[in-house]
Amino acid sequence: MNEEEIVESPCIRECRIDQVTGFCVGCFRTLTEISYWVSYTPEQRERIMTFIAARRAAEADRLSTN
């Protein structure tokens, strides 16, 4: 694996699971995604990063309508 393939963890050390969404309020990953992050391939990590971006956008939209 070369450096371009490394996808760093999105963890920002604000680890709490939102009981409604099931996502960490800091990094927007599920408990499964957090647990298996170290064993995921770069492609799997990139896919999860795409999910995270969508989750963040959805949360921002939800908060802006409240």
Side-chain angles (χ1 to χ4, degrees):
M1 174 183 304
N2 61 40
E3 287 187 46
E4 296 86 49
E5 294 177 347
I6 296 173
V7 179
E8 295 295 327
S9 170
C11 181
I12 60 169
R13 311 272 190 266
E14 291 185 27
C15 306
R16 291 185 321 276
I17 299 299
D18 182 292
Q19 295 302 307
V20 174
T21 65
F23 305 136
C24 173
V25 299
C27 68
F28 288 88
R29 291 180 293 174
T30 65
L31 282 175
T32 300
E33 292 165 347
I34 293 167
S35 298
Y36 289 100
W37 186 261
V38 297
S39 64
Y40 288 148
T41 65
E43 293 79 17
Q44 290 170 311
R45 289 181 180 191
E46 283 291 339
R47 189 177 79 240
I48 292 167
M49 294 300 285
T50 302
F51 296 155
I52 289 169
R55 293 168 187 165
R56 281 193 174 124
E59 181 67 2
D61 286 346
R62 185 187 71 79
L63 292 175
S64 70
T65 61
N66 286 337

